[in-house]
Amino acid sequence: MKLLYSRASPFARKVRACAVALGIERQIELVEVVAADAPAVLTDANPLGKIPTLITNGNFAIFDSAVICEYLNGTSDVIPIIPPGGAPRWLSLRLEAMGDGLMEAAVLRRQLMLVGGLDAQSVLPELQRLAIARTLDRLEREKLGLHVEIGALSIACALGYLDFRFADENWREGHPRLAEWFAAISKHECLSSTAPDAG
Ligand SMILES: N[C@@H](CCC(=O)N[C@@H](CS)C(=O)NCC(=O)O)C(=O)O
């Protein structure tokens, strides 16, 4: 399998962390691409031109990150990272959606702030900032576990992205429980080995 990715993408990190947690990272060749350049290898596989995109051994392209994680989960024999059913499944998938939403808001906010001529205080980046703030407040009250499952991985990758791109805003302030949880979950190898600044 090939994973089209970038080291900075939190969505791609979520997929890489899942692969490590599932013990299948060696079956995946990492192919670094710059999505903004829209290389043919990416757009031929995924017309949306987004990373991560997985190309299976049967040359079938899979996206987006949630679908890739579901696919990888089904290819491994170890303990699943997506609960198969019942309340644990919906709790896990809801957390994943919160983590993915945090990433989407943070990635969009950064893009808007980088675009020349767009006032960083204008409505759209401010809406993303507020969505991030509300979600952090909600996660502070959420009961988060320390075992590796898709919800925890998504939240951890989103918080790692905030550290990576918005370090000066210190999301930990006002969120001590979440900060403590993040420090503990980040010790899992699947997260430590995939951090944006990991060697
Ligand atoms: N919903 C997608 C989001 C992926 C995404 O937005 N990736 C960004 C990089 S972090 C990207 O490829 N941006 C390039 C673009 O939008 O053209 C997923 O979960 O995979």
Side-chain angles (χ1 to χ4, degrees):
M1 293 181 271
K2 284 186 184 166
L3 182 70
L4 309 182
Y5 88 115
S6 83
R7 291 189 71 82
S9 165
F11 299 99
R13 182 183 178 199
K14 182 182 70 168
V15 167
R16 289 161 57 221
C18 284
V20 175
L22 292 165
I24 55 172
E25 73 275 22
R26 286 200 184 82
Q27 297 172 34
I28 301 176
E29 181 192 341
L30 295 176
V31 179
E32 197 151 8
V33 294
V34 179
D37 293 347
V41 65
L42 177 60
T43 54
D44 286 353
N46 177 353
L48 299 168
K50 297 221 184 227
I51 50 173
T53 293
L54 182 82
I55 302 174
T56 68
N57 292 337
N59 210 26
F60 182 74
I62 299 183
F63 43 87
D64 59 4
S65 64
V67 185
I68 299 173
C69 292
E70 185 83 49
Y71 176 79
L72 296 181
N73 190 56
T75 67
S76 168
D77 293 333
V78 307
I79 300 167
I81 50 162
I82 304 175
R89 177 174 174 81
W90 301 116
L91 270 172
S92 201
L93 293 183
R94 188 178 71 171
L95 274 184
E96 181 187 18
M98 267 202 269
D100 286 5
L102 262 184
M103 294 182 213
E104 267 156 31
V107 167
L108 176 58
R109 183 167 171 234
R110 178 175 154 79
Q111 285 169 340
L112 290 167
M113 288 165 75
L114 288 176
V115 173
L118 237 185
D119 178 3
Q121 298 304 317
S122 72
V123 175
L124 202 44
E126 179 60 8
L127 285 177
Q128 310 314 309
R129 194 188 66 75
L130 290 172
I132 293 167
R134 281 194 309 268
T135 308
L136 291 172
D137 289 349
R138 172 68 69 90
L139 288 171
E140 176 69 10
R141 302 193 304 271
E142 198 87 11
K143 197 164 175 273
L144 298 171
L146 283 177
H147 83 274
V148 170
E149 48 77 31
I150 192 68
L153 290 183
S154 179
I155 301 286
C157 291
L159 296 176
Y161 185 76
L162 293 182
D163 277 344
F164 182 52
R165 294 299 195 201
F166 296 93
D168 53 325
E169 295 187 6
N170 192 13
W171 62 264
R172 287 171 180 78
E173 209 176 293
H175 306 105
R177 286 185 66 234
L178 187 59
E180 198 181 319
W181 173 83
F182 179 61
I185 194 101
S186 296
K187 291 184 181 137
H188 282 289
E189 200 219 331
C190 62
L191 287 168
S192 60
S193 65
T194 55
D197 51 4

